[in-house]
Amino acid sequence: MTKQKVIAIDVDLVLTNIIPKWHSWLVSQSLSFDEKRYKKDLQHERVDYNITRYYELPSDLDGFDFWRQPDLYDDAKLLKYAKEVIMNWYMDGHELVFTSYCFQNHTDSKIKFLKRSLGFIADEDFHFISTKSKGFVRADVIVDDRVSFLNQMGNKTLCIKFHTPYTQCEEARQHYITYNNWKDLGEMFKGK
């Protein structure tokens, strides 16, 4: 079977949302939580991407230790319709590559989550790259929530930004299309 397109797919905030789990962890570790500021930012869709800034943490605690847990994705779930859309892409002959930045220790848990959730992908067709340099991934299409990663892609790559309420660290220098959910994203690909 000839592969039609190479589609690079981010994991965090695109395929799964474990930010609520991070919030719970931070609440359990913190001295206080600025819930009022957080809710206001959420309402205006400008939540600080580094949510530790809403918490007062003990001086000896790194709020990103959450991301260093070796079992971090063991109970993660795919976002609604993601499995169906990815299955359709795979069955249509598109080559899928999961691209995600990983903290030390959680890479294996993230890969196991993907394989468990997307078990229809044959082992020889399963591709995962942990990187902050997504521009080196040769893809026809990229689906990511971060403008900084979309900016790394060349003009020949169709950039799809998955909408989240989080702030961006860069202004867009690359044209992209925004989707709010997997159902709408899947509809865009029908027949292509």
Side-chain angles (χ1 to χ4, degrees), residues 5 8 14 16 26 42 44 52-53 74 85 90 93 98 104 112-113 116 123 128 132 148 153 160 162 166 169 173 191:
K5 288 184 172 66
V14 173
T16 189
L26 287 166
L42 186 60
H44 292 97
T52 64
R53 293 185 178 134
D74 287 4
V85 172
Y90 181 68
F98 300 96
Q104 184 182 13
K112 287 177 188 173
F113 153 68
R116 177 180 72 247
D123 284 343
F128 180 87
K132 272 190 160 181
S148 58
M153 305 311 290
I160 299 171
F162 208 80
Y166 299 96
C169 60
R173 296 185 309 274

Side-chain angles (χ1 to χ4, degrees), residues 95-156:
E95 190 168 353
L96 309 174
V97 57
F98 300 96
T99 59
S100 187
Y101 176 65
C102 296
F103 276 71
Q104 184 182 13
N105 297 333
H106 83 235
T107 305
D108 287 343
S109 181
K110 190 177 277 189
I111 291 170
K112 287 177 188 173
F113 153 68
L114 291 169
K115 288 186 171 190
R116 177 180 72 247
S117 301
L118 304 168
F120 54 86
I121 298 175
D123 284 343
E124 63 271 13
D125 294 334
F126 182 84
H127 310 290
F128 180 87
I129 300 170
S130 174
T131 184
K132 272 190 160 181
S133 302
K134 295 184 183 183
F136 287 103
V137 176
R138 303 285 188 259
D140 300 300
V141 180
I142 184 171
V143 183
D144 209 295
D145 64 302
R146 302 301 295 162
V147 169
S148 58
F149 291 131
L150 299 179
N151 281 340
Q152 295 176 13
M153 305 311 290
N155 291 331
K156 293 181 181 180

Side-chain angles (χ1 to χ4, degrees), residues 10-18 73 76-79 113:
D10 182 33
V11 177
D12 297 302
L13 295 174
V14 173
L15 283 177
T16 189
N17 183 3
I18 62 172
Y73 295 85
K77 305 280 188 250
L78 288 173
L79 294 179
F113 153 68

Side-chain angles (χ1 to χ4, degrees), residues 26-66:
L26 287 166
V27 165
S28 73
Q29 305 291 321
S30 71
L31 306 172
S32 66
F33 169 44
D34 191 347
E35 189 173 5
K36 184 178 178 181
R37 183 169 64 100
Y38 173 77
K39 285 184 175 181
K40 182 180 176 188
D41 287 353
L42 186 60
Q43 179 182 10
H44 292 97
E45 295 198 339
R46 61 171 188 233
V47 176
D48 195 314
Y49 193 71
N50 177 0
I51 66 168
T52 64
R53 293 185 178 134
Y54 295 97
Y55 294 87
E56 181 186 352
L57 299 172
S59 59
D60 62 339
L61 179 72
D62 178 357
F64 285 89
D65 283 345
F66 168 82

